[in-house]
């Protein structure tokens, strides 16, 4: 296991920011840099101190932070609340393995989640509700930085009706890893978005934050761990569902629902089921959606 409070980077100096100027201040704040142990990480990376409570690995470039995090977990070098963040992600992906536009200066990161508690009210519920729990944790941390956000079920982060980030959870050999992307510096133009996208993109506004991606992952890991622990200790799943509905985009509004390639219909977004499905009302009845896409009207 890598030491806590250590992060790693390709050979750069504080005078040579990787990819985007937002990294400049982060490099200065979290240095000084010293050579990494070649047995711990690939040769040529550097390490510095002072980031988060857990291990945070920073790469100048990687194919995907999810893949790098999974490899470090498999090697026993990254544990719960350990994270990977990179300045340039060459093969980022979102839901349904769609390509994720990893623009320079944005946050591209993956965080290793702790295992579900063995006992208590969350022991069985967490596996079903994990995407919503992660969305709650991230939105709480970002709201502390001044952002008013909504979650588009199940994994998109919206601000003023536009997508400013997204989340993806994958299980690798019994370990859950959440990938998160936030448009910290830039966002795709409307003309570059997929035709079937539900909302356009935007750059996130964080009034109480002015640093770069490394500092932001520091916030998400440190404060996120606290929010997560308090929630599992003090908030039972039914109460959590009620709390989360206040963060749910288009709650109480009529939306367009698409299931598969051909089926689409309008329904009232009525809330969430206890296992995390989307409760819809139409034609005088109620149904629960577990897989599909939703669009505002």
């Amino acid at each position: 296991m890598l030491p806590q409070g250590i992060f790693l980077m390709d050979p750069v100096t504080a005078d040579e920011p990787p990819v985007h100027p937002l990294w400049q201040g982060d490099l200065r704040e979290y240095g000084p840099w010293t050579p990494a142990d070649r047995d711990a990480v690939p040769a040529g990376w550097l390490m510095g101190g002072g980031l988060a409570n857990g291990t945070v690995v920073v790469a100048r470039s990687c194919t995907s932070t999810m893949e790098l995090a999974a490899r470090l977990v498999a090697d026993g070098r990254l544990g719960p609340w350990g994270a990977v963040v990179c300045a340039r992600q060459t093969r980022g992906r979102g839901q349904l393995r769609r390509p994720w536009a990893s623009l320079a200066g944005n946050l591209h990161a993956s965080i290793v989640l702790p295992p579900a508690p063995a006992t208590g009210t969350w022991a069985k519920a967490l596996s079903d509700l994990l995407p919503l729990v992660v969305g709650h944790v991230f939105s709480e941390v970002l709201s502390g930085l001044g952002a008013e956000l909504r979650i588009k079920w199940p994994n998109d982060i919206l601000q003023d009706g536009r997508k400013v980030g997204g989340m993806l959870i994958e299980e690798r050999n019994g370990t859950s890893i959440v990938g998160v992307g936030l448009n910290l510096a830039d966002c795709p133009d409307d003309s570059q978005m997929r035709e079937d996208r539900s909302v356009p993109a935007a750059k996130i506004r964080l009034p109480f934050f002015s640093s770069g991606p490394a500092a932001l992952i520091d916030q998400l890991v440190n404060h996120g761990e606290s929010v997560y622990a308090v929630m599992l200790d003090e908030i039972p799943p039914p109460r959590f569902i009620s709390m989360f509905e206040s963060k749910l985009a288009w709650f109480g509004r009529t939306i367009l629902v698409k299931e598969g390639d051909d089926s689409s219909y309008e329904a009232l977004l009525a809330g969430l089921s206890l296992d995390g499905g989307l409760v819809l009302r139409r034609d005088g009845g109620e149904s629960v959606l577990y897989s599909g896409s939703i669009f505002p009207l």
Side-chain angles (χ1 to χ4, degrees), residues 91-234:
R91 295 182 185 176
R93 65 180 187 276
Q95 199 73 1
L96 302 178
R97 303 191 74 82
R98 290 171 175 148
W100 178 273
S102 303
L103 303 181
N106 288 348
L107 176 73
H108 324 118
S110 291
I111 301 172
V112 181
L113 298 174
T119 60
T121 58
W122 282 99
K124 293 182 179 180
L126 189 58
S127 60
D128 290 331
L129 298 179
L130 189 58
L132 305 185
V133 167
V134 169
H136 167 76
V137 168
F138 287 165
S139 66
E140 287 292 295
V141 174
L142 295 171
S143 69
L145 301 177
E148 293 188 16
L149 304 172
R150 292 291 181 269
I151 305 297
K152 172 186 168 288
W153 181 91
N155 53 17
D156 286 344
I157 303 171
L158 307 187
Q159 187 175 48
D160 293 335
R162 284 180 168 256
K163 182 174 177 178
V164 295
M167 301 164 286
L168 175 67
I169 298 177
E170 293 185 356
E171 185 171 311
R172 303 292 187 94
N173 298 318
T175 298
S176 294
I177 303 173
V178 55
V180 56
L182 288 171
N183 297 335
L184 186 61
D186 201 357
C187 68
D189 185 79
D190 290 358
S191 63
Q192 298 174 307
M193 302 288 287
R194 301 189 328 269
E195 289 186 4
D196 64 342
R197 55 89 167 86
S198 60
V199 292
K203 175 182 168 181
I204 192 170
R205 297 189 311 280
L206 299 170
F208 307 143
F209 180 83
S210 59
S211 298
L216 188 54
I217 196 64
D218 190 11
Q219 296 271 348
L220 289 175
V221 170
N222 270 318
H223 296 171
E225 183 176 4
S226 298
V227 172
Y228 182 91
V230 168
M231 194 195 70
L232 264 61
D233 285 344
E234 300 180 5

Side-chain angles (χ1 to χ4, degrees), residues 10-25:
D10 297 324
V12 293
T13 69
D15 297 321
E16 183 193 357
V19 181
H20 192 277
L22 271 181
W23 281 93
Q24 180 84 38

Side-chain angles (χ1 to χ4, degrees), residues 20-38:
H20 192 277
L22 271 181
W23 281 93
Q24 180 84 38
D26 286 354
L27 283 176
R28 293 187 184 279
E29 181 176 356
Y30 296 117
W33 304 95
T34 55
D37 179 357
R38 292 193 177 192

